[in-house]
Amino acid sequence: MTGSPRRTLVTTALALLAAMAPLTPSAVAAPRAPAAAAAPAALDLSTSRAQWIDKNTVAWDVQGDAVSQELVYARDGQLTVKDGELAGEGRRIRLTPADGGLTDAQREKYPHLKNYAAFTVDPRDRDRVRHALTGQLVATRSGADGSLVSATGVQTQGVLDDLYSATATKAALGPQFRDGRPTLALWAPTAQSVSLELDGKRVAMRRDDASGVWSVAGARSWSGKQYRYVVKVWAPSVQKVVTNKVTDPYSTALTADSKRSIAVDLDDPKLAPKGWERLKKPKATPLRDAQIQELHIRDFSVEDRTARHPGKYLAFTDTASDGMKHLRKLAEAGTSYVHLLPAFDIGTIPERAADQATPDCDLTAPAPDSDEQQACVTKSAAKDAYNWGYDPLHYTVPEGSYASDPAGTRRTVEFRQMVQGLNGSGLRTVMDVVYNHTVASGQADKSVLDKIVPGYYQRLLPDGSVATSTCCANTAPENAMMGKLVVDSLVTWAREYKVDGFRFDLMGHHPKANILAVRNALDALTLKKDGVDGKKIVLYGEGWNFGEIADDARFVQATQKNMAGTGIATFSDRGRDAARGGGPFDEDPGVQGFASGLFTDPNASKANGMPAEQKARLLRYQDLLKVALTGNLSAYTFTDSSGRRVKGSEVDYNGAPAGYAAAPGDALSYADAHDNESLYDALAFKLPADTTAAERSRMQVLAMATATLAQGPSLSQAGSDLLRSKSLDRNSYDSGDWFNALHWNCQDGNGFGRGLPPAADNKDKWPYGKPLLTSASLTPGCAEINGTSAAYQDLVKLRATEPAFSLATADEVQSRLSFPLSGTSAETPGVITMELGNLVVIFNATPESQKQSVTALKDMAYALHPTQAKGSDPVVKSSSYEGGSGTFSVPARSVAVFERG
C-alpha cells in the first residue's frame, strides 16, 4: 500500500498510551476485548512479510487501518501466536506510519517494495535496534479494540546493511596471517555469541560493535589447525535459537568433504609448486579476441588412457597425454583460454575415492539404444565422483575430489600446478564461478552462510522464504556483505591462484554494480604488488533475465542489455538458436535452423511447417546470424532479408532485440556449451536421418564457424571439434563419466550410441532419439572426427591471424563489415555472404554448391585464403572466384574465406 494508514483520534490516543507503557520485559499478550478473529495467514510468524530496510524504517505490504504497530523482539525466541494473540515474553519497539510511504530514495533502492506501507521507528526506541536484531523479531498491527490484526516475522537484510556495512565491508574476513600468526574473523552481527572450536577446545571471540565482526588472534601453532565457528543465533527457518557448528565461509583450505576449515596461509612457500613465483603466462588476449574452450576437469582425462592422473588437476601436467596434445594443437591454432567448469568446493561429490559409488554393471554390453545404461548410471549418480559442479559449498577453496588427496592443502598445490600446465601449453585459465546460489540454506547440513547470518546471504521472497529461481537457494549479492564475499573471493582466485578470467553463472542474478565492483577490484591488482596484472583478467557471464529479479525488479541487473559497454561480455543466444534451430526446450527436437538444413534439406518433422514457412523462418535466422556476426551490435545498420534498412536492435529475437551490444566484445558467441545438447547431438536430431557421417562433419564445422568468425569472443565446448556426443543427453550435469567423458582418440568414437540418456531430463525425447542411436550414419569414424577438428583449427587460425575479425569499435564494424546480397533478389536461402575488409566469407549451409555474385567486387582479385588453400579440408579447396562477374563459388556445406590480393 502506498502512503500511510488513515490517522484517527483513536489512533493518536492509543499511541500515547503505548508510549507511556513500560518497555521492560513483560508479557506481550494481554486480555483483549472480544473482536473478529484475524485471518490465520495474517498471524503467521513462520513467514517474514515485514522488511526492516534501514535503522529507522520498516516496510510492510499491509492494507486497511490499524491503530498501533510495533516490533516485538525476544532474545530467546519464545514469541508465538496463541488464540489469535501474540504470547510470550518480549520487548517492544514502537512504529509510526510514515506520511507518504517510502521516500523516493528508498523506493529507488528497493523498487520491489515501492507500494509497501512505511513505518518509522519511534526515536525513543532507536537505542534498542541493534539488540533487537539478535533475537526473534515480530511485526504486529493491532486494531482499535486492541485485537491483533497482523503478525509476521521480519526480514532484516536492509537494516543490517544500514547499521554495519560501512565498517564491515572494509574488514578482512577469514584466516589472515601476519608474521606467521593467524587472525580469524567472521561477520555475524545477529549472533548472540561466537566462539572458535580448535583442537577440541572452544576459544572466545571478540565482537566489534561497529562492524558486527567477531575475531580472535592466534598463535603460530594455529597454522594448519582445523577449526569451526560455534555460532548461537536465532534461525527463522526453524523458529528457534540454535547453536551451529559451522565452517568458515572465507575458508582457504578444508578437510575432506568440507567437515572442517583449516587455518592456512596461501602465501606459505610450501604451497607453491616449483616455478610458481616465476610463472610465465601466455600473452594476454583481449576479451574481444578470445577463443575459448569450455572444459570440465574430470571429463578431460577420466577416460584418457594416456593420462597419468585421470580425472584430476594433475592431468593438465601430463604433457604427453592425448588430451594435453590436443589442447596444445588448439593453442597453436589460436585458442587462447580454457574455461574450467566449477572447480571450487562442490557440495555434491564425495571427495574420497573410497566413498564414491560406481555403476555396478557392464555399461558396454547393452545395445546403443538401450535404456539399461542410463538406469545403471542413475542408480549411483548421487554418490559417484561426477557432477558439473554448480553446487557451491565453499567459494574460495579448490574442489577436493580433483586432488590426489582431498584432506588438507594438496588441492591448493595441485590446482596451481593445473594452472601452470595450462599456461605452459599456451592457454590462459578461466574459472566458471557460481555466486548466485548455494547448495543449501537454512539449517540443512550443507548450509554455511545461512547458519551464520540467517536470512541475510540468501535472497528472500516477500513471505521470507528463500528464492530458488536459479534451481537452488539463491544468494543476494545486492546485500553488501554477500557482494563483498563475491569480490573478495574472486580477488583471492586471481591473486593466489593466478586465474586469468572468470565466467559468471547466471550473471543476470547479480546486480550490475556488483560485477562492476569485481572489475574494479581486479583492475587494482598489479604485477609488482600482487604478482598478477588484474587489468588483463577477462570477465564474461550469462546475462539471462528471469526470476524474482527479472526486468530490474530489485536492482539494475547484470543482463545482456545492461552490461553493454562495460567491457564484460554476456553469452548471446541469438546466433546459437539461429544456427541450430528452434530453442533448447522445444517439444520436438527436430526443429531445424540455418546450420541444420531448414528449408534447404528438410527433415521429416512437422514442427518445421510447410516449405514457405520454412523459407521465411530461414531468412529470419539469417538476419539473426548477420547481427551475431557483427558482435550483436545494437546500432549496426544493414539491409535485412526483407529489404528493409534496420538496426541490429530492430531485428526481433523472441520479442527482444537481437542486437544489444555497444561494442565488439560485449557479446560472446557460441554454438554449444556444457548445457543443452552438444552441437553434434542437436544436429543428430535436426539433420535428415539419411545425412552421411561426412556431411554431418561438414555441418558441424559450419555451425561452429558462425561463432568462430563473428566479431567478439567465441566459446566452444571442449570436444565439439571432435564431434563430441553425450548420446543425446540434454542435461548431463549428473550423468557420470559414461555420458560425459571426452574421447581424444578417434578410435574410441565420439560418445554417440552409449544408450538412451538419463530418463529424468530426456525421457520425453526418447522416441525421437531411439531410432538415431543405432544409425550407422551417426557413428563417425576417424576420418570425420579428425577432419572436423582440423577444419575447425584452420578457422581458429584464420580468426586469430586476420585483423579484420578483431575490430575494436562499433564504427569500425559498421564501415568494414557488410552483407552485400542481403535483402536482394540474389540472397540465397541457406547462404550468407559477408564482406569484411579485404575478406569475403561465405557460409553455404545448403546441400548443393552455390555461386554468389557480388557485382561491386567485379574485376577484383580474390582467392581462397591461404590458410584454407593450404589447409586440411579438401572440399573447401575447390572454392573459386571468377573476377569478370564477381562470382564466388563455394561447395556444399562449407564455409569459405576469400582474400583480396
Side-chain angles (χ1 to χ4, degrees), residues 261-292:
S261 301
I262 305 174
V264 164
D265 181 1
L266 292 178
D267 292 329
D268 187 339
K270 294 177 182 177
L271 304 184
K274 184 179 179 180
W276 181 246
E277 293 303 319
R278 303 181 303 279
L279 177 63
K280 186 177 181 180
K281 287 188 169 293
K283 183 180 179 181
T285 301
L287 180 59
R288 72 171 187 273
D289 293 334
Q291 298 294 297
I292 305 164

PDB file of all heavy atoms in Angstrom, residues 261-292:
ATOM      1  N   SER A 261      37.226 -26.344   8.473  1.00  0.00           N
ATOM      2  CA  SER A 261      38.138 -25.411   7.817  1.00  0.00           C
ATOM      3  C   SER A 261      39.541 -25.647   8.376  1.00  0.00           C
ATOM      4  O   SER A 261      39.713 -26.203   9.462  1.00  0.00           O
ATOM      5  CB  SER A 261      37.715 -23.969   8.092  1.00  0.00           C
ATOM      6  OG  SER A 261      36.403 -23.731   7.631  1.00  0.00           O
ATOM      7  N   ILE A 262      40.550 -25.210   7.620  1.00  0.00           N
ATOM      8  CA  ILE A 262      41.936 -25.307   8.068  1.00  0.00           C
ATOM      9  C   ILE A 262      42.564 -23.927   7.968  1.00  0.00           C
ATOM     10  O   ILE A 262      42.422 -23.240   6.948  1.00  0.00           O
ATOM     11  CB  ILE A 262      42.748 -26.310   7.215  1.00  0.00           C
ATOM     12  CG1 ILE A 262      42.071 -27.684   7.201  1.00  0.00           C
ATOM     13  CG2 ILE A 262      44.173 -26.435   7.732  1.00  0.00           C
ATOM     14  CD1 ILE A 262      42.740 -28.686   6.272  1.00  0.00           C
ATOM     15  N   ALA A 263      43.235 -23.521   9.028  1.00  0.00           N
ATOM     16  CA  ALA A 263      43.892 -22.210   9.035  1.00  0.00           C
ATOM     17  C   ALA A 263      45.157 -22.285   8.198  1.00  0.00           C
ATOM     18  O   ALA A 263      46.162 -22.879   8.617  1.00  0.00           O
ATOM     19  CB  ALA A 263      44.224 -21.795  10.469  1.00  0.00           C
ATOM     20  N   VAL A 264      45.090 -21.709   7.002  1.00  0.00           N
ATOM     21  CA  VAL A 264      46.188 -21.822   6.043  1.00  0.00           C
ATOM     22  C   VAL A 264      46.534 -20.455   5.484  1.00  0.00           C
ATOM     23  O   VAL A 264      45.649 -19.659   5.150  1.00  0.00           O
ATOM     24  CB  VAL A 264      45.794 -22.783   4.899  1.00  0.00           C
ATOM     25  CG1 VAL A 264      46.716 -22.625   3.709  1.00  0.00           C
ATOM     26  CG2 VAL A 264      45.807 -24.223   5.390  1.00  0.00           C
ATOM     27  N   ASP A 265      47.826 -20.220   5.383  1.00  0.00           N
ATOM     28  CA  ASP A 265      48.335 -19.008   4.740  1.00  0.00           C
ATOM     29  C   ASP A 265      48.666 -19.365   3.294  1.00  0.00           C
ATOM     30  O   ASP A 265      49.614 -20.113   3.025  1.00  0.00           O
ATOM     31  CB  ASP A 265      49.589 -18.524   5.470  1.00  0.00           C
ATOM     32  CG  ASP A 265      50.158 -17.247   4.876  1.00  0.00           C
ATOM     33  OD1 ASP A 265      49.572 -16.712   3.903  1.00  0.00           O
ATOM     34  OD2 ASP A 265      51.194 -16.775   5.388  1.00  0.00           O
ATOM     35  N   LEU A 266      47.898 -18.855   2.339  1.00  0.00           N
ATOM     36  CA  LEU A 266      48.119 -19.197   0.943  1.00  0.00           C
ATOM     37  C   LEU A 266      49.441 -18.670   0.407  1.00  0.00           C
ATOM     38  O   LEU A 266      49.880 -19.085  -0.675  1.00  0.00           O
ATOM     39  CB  LEU A 266      46.952 -18.688   0.085  1.00  0.00           C
ATOM     40  CG  LEU A 266      45.603 -19.377   0.317  1.00  0.00           C
ATOM     41  CD1 LEU A 266      44.526 -18.750  -0.551  1.00  0.00           C
ATOM     42  CD2 LEU A 266      45.691 -20.879   0.055  1.00  0.00           C
ATOM     43  N   ASP A 267      50.068 -17.766   1.146  1.00  0.00           N
ATOM     44  CA  ASP A 267      51.387 -17.268   0.745  1.00  0.00           C
ATOM     45  C   ASP A 267      52.534 -18.123   1.279  1.00  0.00           C
ATOM     46  O   ASP A 267      53.703 -17.814   1.033  1.00  0.00           O
ATOM     47  CB  ASP A 267      51.575 -15.822   1.221  1.00  0.00           C
ATOM     48  CG  ASP A 267      50.655 -14.860   0.493  1.00  0.00           C
ATOM     49  OD1 ASP A 267      50.347 -15.120  -0.685  1.00  0.00           O
ATOM     50  OD2 ASP A 267      50.249 -13.850   1.099  1.00  0.00           O
ATOM     51  N   ASP A 268      52.219 -19.195   1.985  1.00  0.00           N
ATOM     52  CA  ASP A 268      53.243 -20.099   2.508  1.00  0.00           C
ATOM     53  C   ASP A 268      53.999 -20.723   1.332  1.00  0.00           C
ATOM     54  O   ASP A 268      53.384 -21.350   0.455  1.00  0.00           O
ATOM     55  CB  ASP A 268      52.574 -21.190   3.345  1.00  0.00           C
ATOM     56  CG  ASP A 268      53.567 -22.088   4.064  1.00  0.00           C
ATOM     57  OD1 ASP A 268      54.738 -22.158   3.635  1.00  0.00           O
ATOM     58  OD2 ASP A 268      53.165 -22.741   5.044  1.00  0.00           O
ATOM     59  N   PRO A 269      55.313 -20.585   1.280  1.00  0.00           N
ATOM     60  CA  PRO A 269      56.097 -21.153   0.167  1.00  0.00           C
ATOM     61  C   PRO A 269      55.894 -22.651  -0.012  1.00  0.00           C
ATOM     62  O   PRO A 269      56.068 -23.175  -1.116  1.00  0.00           O
ATOM     63  CB  PRO A 269      57.545 -20.835   0.557  1.00  0.00           C
ATOM     64  CG  PRO A 269      57.444 -19.657   1.476  1.00  0.00           C
ATOM     65  CD  PRO A 269      56.166 -19.833   2.225  1.00  0.00           C
ATOM     66  N   LYS A 270      55.503 -23.362   1.049  1.00  0.00           N
ATOM     67  CA  LYS A 270      55.296 -24.800   0.948  1.00  0.00           C
ATOM     68  C   LYS A 270      54.115 -25.144   0.029  1.00  0.00           C
ATOM     69  O   LYS A 270      54.011 -26.275  -0.445  1.00  0.00           O
ATOM     70  CB  LYS A 270      55.052 -25.392   2.335  1.00  0.00           C
ATOM     71  CG  LYS A 270      56.258 -25.306   3.264  1.00  0.00           C
ATOM     72  CD  LYS A 270      55.914 -25.855   4.642  1.00  0.00           C
ATOM     73  CE  LYS A 270      57.099 -25.717   5.598  1.00  0.00           C
ATOM     74  NZ  LYS A 270      56.741 -26.179   6.968  1.00  0.00           N
ATOM     75  N   LEU A 271      53.229 -24.178  -0.188  1.00  0.00           N
ATOM     76  CA  LEU A 271      52.058 -24.430  -1.027  1.00  0.00           C
ATOM     77  C   LEU A 271      52.283 -24.014  -2.469  1.00  0.00           C
ATOM     78  O   LEU A 271      51.372 -24.121  -3.299  1.00  0.00           O
ATOM     79  CB  LEU A 271      50.842 -23.689  -0.460  1.00  0.00           C
ATOM     80  CG  LEU A 271      50.477 -24.003   0.992  1.00  0.00           C
ATOM     81  CD1 LEU A 271      49.205 -23.270   1.391  1.00  0.00           C
ATOM     82  CD2 LEU A 271      50.309 -25.500   1.191  1.00  0.00           C
ATOM     83  N   ALA A 272      53.460 -23.523  -2.773  1.00  0.00           N
ATOM     84  CA  ALA A 272      53.780 -23.060  -4.120  1.00  0.00           C
ATOM     85  C   ALA A 272      54.551 -24.138  -4.866  1.00  0.00           C
ATOM     86  O   ALA A 272      55.645 -24.525  -4.446  1.00  0.00           O
ATOM     87  CB  ALA A 272      54.588 -21.772  -4.057  1.00  0.00           C
ATOM     88  N   PRO A 273      54.007 -24.664  -5.964  1.00  0.00           N
ATOM     89  CA  PRO A 273      54.786 -25.632  -6.744  1.00  0.00           C
ATOM     90  C   PRO A 273      56.016 -24.979  -7.351  1.00  0.00           C
ATOM     91  O   PRO A 273      56.113 -23.750  -7.435  1.00  0.00           O
ATOM     92  CB  PRO A 273      53.809 -26.074  -7.834  1.00  0.00           C
ATOM     93  CG  PRO A 273      52.804 -24.980  -7.921  1.00  0.00           C
ATOM     94  CD  PRO A 273      52.696 -24.382  -6.564  1.00  0.00           C
ATOM     95  N   LYS A 274      56.957 -25.780  -7.740  1.00  0.00           N
ATOM     96  CA  LYS A 274      58.207 -25.277  -8.301  1.00  0.00           C
ATOM     97  C   LYS A 274      57.921 -24.356  -9.484  1.00  0.00           C
ATOM     98  O   LYS A 274      57.151 -24.698 -10.383  1.00  0.00           O
ATOM     99  CB  LYS A 274      59.080 -26.444  -8.747  1.00  0.00           C
ATOM    100  CG  LYS A 274      60.452 -26.034  -9.248  1.00  0.00           C
ATOM    101  CD  LYS A 274      61.281 -27.245  -9.649  1.00  0.00           C
ATOM    102  CE  LYS A 274      62.658 -26.839 -10.173  1.00  0.00           C
ATOM    103  NZ  LYS A 274      63.465 -28.022 -10.574  1.00  0.00           N
ATOM    104  N   GLY A 275      58.535 -23.183  -9.453  1.00  0.00           N
ATOM    105  CA  GLY A 275      58.378 -22.224 -10.542  1.00  0.00           C
ATOM    106  C   GLY A 275      57.150 -21.345 -10.446  1.00  0.00           C
ATOM    107  O   GLY A 275      56.901 -20.525 -11.338  1.00  0.00           O
ATOM    108  N   TRP A 276      56.376 -21.476  -9.366  1.00  0.00           N
ATOM    109  CA  TRP A 276      55.112 -20.738  -9.255  1.00  0.00           C
ATOM    110  C   TRP A 276      55.326 -19.226  -9.245  1.00  0.00           C
ATOM    111  O   TRP A 276      54.617 -18.481  -9.932  1.00  0.00           O
ATOM    112  CB  TRP A 276      54.381 -21.182  -7.992  1.00  0.00           C
ATOM    113  CG  TRP A 276      53.056 -20.507  -7.769  1.00  0.00           C
ATOM    114  CD1 TRP A 276      52.727 -19.663  -6.761  1.00  0.00           C
ATOM    115  CD2 TRP A 276      51.878 -20.645  -8.571  1.00  0.00           C
ATOM    116  NE1 TRP A 276      51.418 -19.247  -6.872  1.00  0.00           N
ATOM    117  CE2 TRP A 276      50.868 -19.849  -7.978  1.00  0.00           C
ATOM    118  CE3 TRP A 276      51.572 -21.357  -9.731  1.00  0.00           C
ATOM    119  CZ2 TRP A 276      49.579 -19.738  -8.505  1.00  0.00           C
ATOM    120  CZ3 TRP A 276      50.282 -21.248 -10.269  1.00  0.00           C
ATOM    121  CH2 TRP A 276      49.311 -20.451  -9.655  1.00  0.00           C
ATOM    122  N   GLU A 277      56.295 -18.773  -8.483  1.00  0.00           N
ATOM    123  CA  GLU A 277      56.514 -17.330  -8.387  1.00  0.00           C
ATOM    124  C   GLU A 277      57.017 -16.754  -9.710  1.00  0.00           C
ATOM    125  O   GLU A 277      56.831 -15.572  -9.982  1.00  0.00           O
ATOM    126  CB  GLU A 277      57.528 -17.033  -7.270  1.00  0.00           C
ATOM    127  CG  GLU A 277      57.025 -17.340  -5.874  1.00  0.00           C
ATOM    128  CD  GLU A 277      55.737 -16.604  -5.538  1.00  0.00           C
ATOM    129  OE1 GLU A 277      55.637 -15.408  -5.896  1.00  0.00           O
ATOM    130  OE2 GLU A 277      54.834 -17.216  -4.944  1.00  0.00           O
ATOM    131  N   ARG A 278      57.654 -17.571 -10.534  1.00  0.00           N
ATOM    132  CA  ARG A 278      58.195 -17.092 -11.812  1.00  0.00           C
ATOM    133  C   ARG A 278      57.330 -17.532 -12.992  1.00  0.00           C
ATOM    134  O   ARG A 278      57.786 -17.506 -14.139  1.00  0.00           O
ATOM    135  CB  ARG A 278      59.618 -17.626 -12.004  1.00  0.00           C
ATOM    136  CG  ARG A 278      60.581 -17.243 -10.876  1.00  0.00           C
ATOM    137  CD  ARG A 278      61.984 -17.776 -11.122  1.00  0.00           C
ATOM    138  NE  ARG A 278      61.991 -19.225 -11.295  1.00  0.00           N
ATOM    139  CZ  ARG A 278      61.968 -20.096 -10.286  1.00  0.00           C
ATOM    140  NH1 ARG A 278      61.921 -19.665  -9.019  1.00  0.00           N
ATOM    141  NH2 ARG A 278      61.980 -21.392 -10.521  1.00  0.00           N
ATOM    142  N   LEU A 279      56.094 -17.926 -12.715  1.00  0.00           N
ATOM    143  CA  LEU A 279      55.214 -18.450 -13.760  1.00  0.00           C
ATOM    144  C   LEU A 279      55.099 -17.465 -14.925  1.00  0.00           C
ATOM    145  O   LEU A 279      54.728 -16.303 -14.747  1.00  0.00           O
ATOM    146  CB  LEU A 279      53.821 -18.736 -13.181  1.00  0.00           C
ATOM    147  CG  LEU A 279      52.769 -19.223 -14.177  1.00  0.00           C
ATOM    148  CD1 LEU A 279      53.185 -20.561 -14.784  1.00  0.00           C
ATOM    149  CD2 LEU A 279      51.409 -19.347 -13.492  1.00  0.00           C
ATOM    150  N   LYS A 280      55.421 -17.953 -16.099  1.00  0.00           N
ATOM    151  CA  LYS A 280      55.316 -17.140 -17.305  1.00  0.00           C
ATOM    152  C   LYS A 280      54.016 -17.486 -18.011  1.00  0.00           C
ATOM    153  O   LYS A 280      53.789 -18.629 -18.395  1.00  0.00           O
ATOM    154  CB  LYS A 280      56.514 -17.387 -18.230  1.00  0.00           C
ATOM    155  CG  LYS A 280      56.536 -16.475 -19.433  1.00  0.00           C
ATOM    156  CD  LYS A 280      57.788 -16.700 -20.277  1.00  0.00           C
ATOM    157  CE  LYS A 280      57.804 -15.752 -21.476  1.00  0.00           C
ATOM    158  NZ  LYS A 280      59.027 -15.973 -22.318  1.00  0.00           N
ATOM    159  N   LYS A 281      53.203 -16.481 -18.188  1.00  0.00           N
ATOM    160  CA  LYS A 281      51.902 -16.710 -18.800  1.00  0.00           C
ATOM    161  C   LYS A 281      51.953 -16.448 -20.299  1.00  0.00           C
ATOM    162  O   LYS A 281      52.766 -15.655 -20.778  1.00  0.00           O
ATOM    163  CB  LYS A 281      50.856 -15.792 -18.160  1.00  0.00           C
ATOM    164  CG  LYS A 281      50.474 -16.224 -16.758  1.00  0.00           C
ATOM    165  CD  LYS A 281      49.315 -15.420 -16.219  1.00  0.00           C
ATOM    166  CE  LYS A 281      48.781 -16.048 -14.941  1.00  0.00           C
ATOM    167  NZ  LYS A 281      48.149 -17.351 -15.169  1.00  0.00           N
ATOM    168  N   PRO A 282      51.069 -17.101 -21.060  1.00  0.00           N
ATOM    169  CA  PRO A 282      50.949 -16.750 -22.469  1.00  0.00           C
ATOM    170  C   PRO A 282      50.522 -15.283 -22.588  1.00  0.00           C
ATOM    171  O   PRO A 282      49.906 -14.720 -21.672  1.00  0.00           O
ATOM    172  CB  PRO A 282      49.830 -17.671 -22.977  1.00  0.00           C
ATOM    173  CG  PRO A 282      49.697 -18.735 -21.947  1.00  0.00           C
ATOM    174  CD  PRO A 282      50.105 -18.138 -20.651  1.00  0.00           C
ATOM    175  N   LYS A 283      50.842 -14.682 -23.686  1.00  0.00           N
ATOM    176  CA  LYS A 283      50.461 -13.296 -23.908  1.00  0.00           C
ATOM    177  C   LYS A 283      48.958 -13.138 -23.743  1.00  0.00           C
ATOM    178  O   LYS A 283      48.171 -13.942 -24.243  1.00  0.00           O
ATOM    179  CB  LYS A 283      50.889 -12.850 -25.306  1.00  0.00           C
ATOM    180  CG  LYS A 283      50.602 -11.388 -25.591  1.00  0.00           C
ATOM    181  CD  LYS A 283      51.056 -11.004 -26.997  1.00  0.00           C
ATOM    182  CE  LYS A 283      50.730  -9.536 -27.294  1.00  0.00           C
ATOM    183  NZ  LYS A 283      51.146  -9.164 -28.677  1.00  0.00           N
ATOM    184  N   ALA A 284      48.557 -12.112 -23.023  1.00  0.00           N
ATOM    185  CA  ALA A 284      47.137 -11.887 -22.758  1.00  0.00           C
ATOM    186  C   ALA A 284      46.405 -11.554 -24.055  1.00  0.00           C
ATOM    187  O   ALA A 284      46.880 -10.761 -24.870  1.00  0.00           O
ATOM    188  CB  ALA A 284      46.948 -10.757 -21.751  1.00  0.00           C
ATOM    189  N   THR A 285      45.264 -12.175 -24.239  1.00  0.00           N
ATOM    190  CA  THR A 285      44.413 -11.903 -25.395  1.00  0.00           C
ATOM    191  C   THR A 285      43.250 -11.042 -24.944  1.00  0.00           C
ATOM    192  O   THR A 285      42.547 -11.394 -23.998  1.00  0.00           O
ATOM    193  CB  THR A 285      43.866 -13.225 -25.977  1.00  0.00           C
ATOM    194  OG1 THR A 285      44.965 -14.045 -26.362  1.00  0.00           O
ATOM    195  CG2 THR A 285      42.975 -12.967 -27.170  1.00  0.00           C
ATOM    196  N   PRO A 286      43.002  -9.909 -25.587  1.00  0.00           N
ATOM    197  CA  PRO A 286      41.847  -9.091 -25.204  1.00  0.00           C
ATOM    198  C   PRO A 286      40.561  -9.892 -25.326  1.00  0.00           C
ATOM    199  O   PRO A 286      40.452 -10.790 -26.182  1.00  0.00           O
ATOM    200  CB  PRO A 286      41.877  -7.939 -26.215  1.00  0.00           C
ATOM    201  CG  PRO A 286      43.266  -7.910 -26.745  1.00  0.00           C
ATOM    202  CD  PRO A 286      43.754  -9.327 -26.709  1.00  0.00           C
ATOM    203  N   LEU A 287      39.589  -9.573 -24.505  1.00  0.00           N
ATOM    204  CA  LEU A 287      38.350 -10.328 -24.492  1.00  0.00           C
ATOM    205  C   LEU A 287      37.702 -10.372 -25.875  1.00  0.00           C
ATOM    206  O   LEU A 287      37.164 -11.402 -26.283  1.00  0.00           O
ATOM    207  CB  LEU A 287      37.370  -9.732 -23.475  1.00  0.00           C
ATOM    208  CG  LEU A 287      36.013 -10.425 -23.358  1.00  0.00           C
ATOM    209  CD1 LEU A 287      36.180 -11.894 -22.978  1.00  0.00           C
ATOM    210  CD2 LEU A 287      35.132  -9.721 -22.344  1.00  0.00           C
ATOM    211  N   ARG A 288      37.759  -9.278 -26.617  1.00  0.00           N
ATOM    212  CA  ARG A 288      37.067  -9.272 -27.915  1.00  0.00           C
ATOM    213  C   ARG A 288      37.686 -10.272 -28.896  1.00  0.00           C
ATOM    214  O   ARG A 288      37.067 -10.609 -29.911  1.00  0.00           O
ATOM    215  CB  ARG A 288      37.060  -7.868 -28.509  1.00  0.00           C
ATOM    216  CG  ARG A 288      38.387  -7.370 -29.034  1.00  0.00           C
ATOM    217  CD  ARG A 288      38.240  -6.058 -29.793  1.00  0.00           C
ATOM    218  NE  ARG A 288      39.484  -5.667 -30.419  1.00  0.00           N
ATOM    219  CZ  ARG A 288      40.454  -4.965 -29.840  1.00  0.00           C
ATOM    220  NH1 ARG A 288      40.306  -4.565 -28.586  1.00  0.00           N
ATOM    221  NH2 ARG A 288      41.554  -4.668 -30.508  1.00  0.00           N
ATOM    222  N   ASP A 289      38.917 -10.749 -28.607  1.00  0.00           N
ATOM    223  CA  ASP A 289      39.580 -11.713 -29.478  1.00  0.00           C
ATOM    224  C   ASP A 289      39.632 -13.111 -28.888  1.00  0.00           C
ATOM    225  O   ASP A 289      40.195 -14.029 -29.502  1.00  0.00           O
ATOM    226  CB  ASP A 289      41.024 -11.266 -29.753  1.00  0.00           C
ATOM    227  CG  ASP A 289      41.090  -9.995 -30.569  1.00  0.00           C
ATOM    228  OD1 ASP A 289      40.136  -9.726 -31.318  1.00  0.00           O
ATOM    229  OD2 ASP A 289      42.084  -9.264 -30.440  1.00  0.00           O
ATOM    230  N   ALA A 290      39.057 -13.303 -27.728  1.00  0.00           N
ATOM    231  CA  ALA A 290      39.214 -14.567 -27.010  1.00  0.00           C
ATOM    232  C   ALA A 290      38.536 -15.720 -27.753  1.00  0.00           C
ATOM    233  O   ALA A 290      37.375 -15.637 -28.157  1.00  0.00           O
ATOM    234  CB  ALA A 290      38.636 -14.442 -25.614  1.00  0.00           C
ATOM    235  N   GLN A 291      39.283 -16.799 -27.929  1.00  0.00           N
ATOM    236  CA  GLN A 291      38.746 -18.064 -28.429  1.00  0.00           C
ATOM    237  C   GLN A 291      38.860 -19.056 -27.276  1.00  0.00           C
ATOM    238  O   GLN A 291      39.961 -19.364 -26.810  1.00  0.00           O
ATOM    239  CB  GLN A 291      39.519 -18.532 -29.652  1.00  0.00           C
ATOM    240  CG  GLN A 291      39.438 -17.576 -30.831  1.00  0.00           C
ATOM    241  CD  GLN A 291      38.028 -17.484 -31.383  1.00  0.00           C
ATOM    242  OE1 GLN A 291      37.460 -18.466 -31.866  1.00  0.00           O
ATOM    243  NE2 GLN A 291      37.444 -16.305 -31.300  1.00  0.00           N
ATOM    244  N   ILE A 292      37.722 -19.534 -26.811  1.00  0.00           N
ATOM    245  CA  ILE A 292      37.638 -20.210 -25.518  1.00  0.00           C
ATOM    246  C   ILE A 292      37.177 -21.654 -25.685  1.00  0.00           C
ATOM    247  O   ILE A 292      36.216 -21.933 -26.414  1.00  0.00           O
ATOM    248  CB  ILE A 292      36.656 -19.451 -24.592  1.00  0.00           C
ATOM    249  CG1 ILE A 292      37.066 -17.975 -24.458  1.00  0.00           C
ATOM    250  CG2 ILE A 292      36.577 -20.115 -23.228  1.00  0.00           C
ATOM    251  CD1 ILE A 292      35.968 -17.085 -23.907  1.00  0.00           C
TER     252      ILE A 292
END
